[in-house]
Amino acid sequence: MPGVSKEGLEITLEGNEITSWASEQRSAEGTPLFRERRLVDFRRVFELDPAIDTAKIAAKMTKGATLTLPNSEKVKPRKITVD
């Protein structure tokens, strides 16, 4: 999402749906002479797999937004020892 700052990004979780909403910020430096695309708001809704542990979802913003969607402990593979 180019042109989106941390303050312009909102991520919500409701039930098994995660929604990301972002608003591009206009530059205070002046009016551009040419723009390839319009300033728009983005909204995406994703349905989460039931295996996702929704209590541990995390978001981070560095050079873009990153969501971490960990599997719940009951779904992770485990080693079974043979007696």
Side-chain angles (χ1 to χ4, degrees):
M1 295 182 265
V4 175
S5 66
K6 184 177 178 179
E7 293 76 26
L9 180 63
E10 182 179 313
I11 300 171
T12 58
L13 175 67
E14 187 174 335
N16 68 335
E17 289 186 346
I18 192 162
T19 303
S20 63
W21 181 85
S23 178
E24 291 183 279
Q25 304 296 318
R26 294 190 183 274
S27 175
E29 299 172 4
T31 306
L33 296 175
F34 178 76
R35 180 177 290 277
E36 290 187 27
R37 58 185 180 79
R38 300 178 301 152
L39 290 177
V40 294
D41 292 340
F42 299 96
R43 182 175 178 269
R44 294 289 308 263
V45 179
F46 300 95
E47 185 176 344
L48 298 177
D49 188 286
I52 300 295
D53 188 352
T54 56
K56 295 182 181 178
I57 293 176
K60 182 178 179 182
M61 181 78 126
T62 50
K63 292 184 179 181
T66 303
L67 284 175
T68 304
L69 307 169
N71 283 333
S72 64
E73 292 297 322
K74 61 184 174 189
V75 186
K76 289 186 180 177
R78 63 185 180 93
K79 184 176 181 179
I80 300 171
T81 57
V82 179
D83 294 327

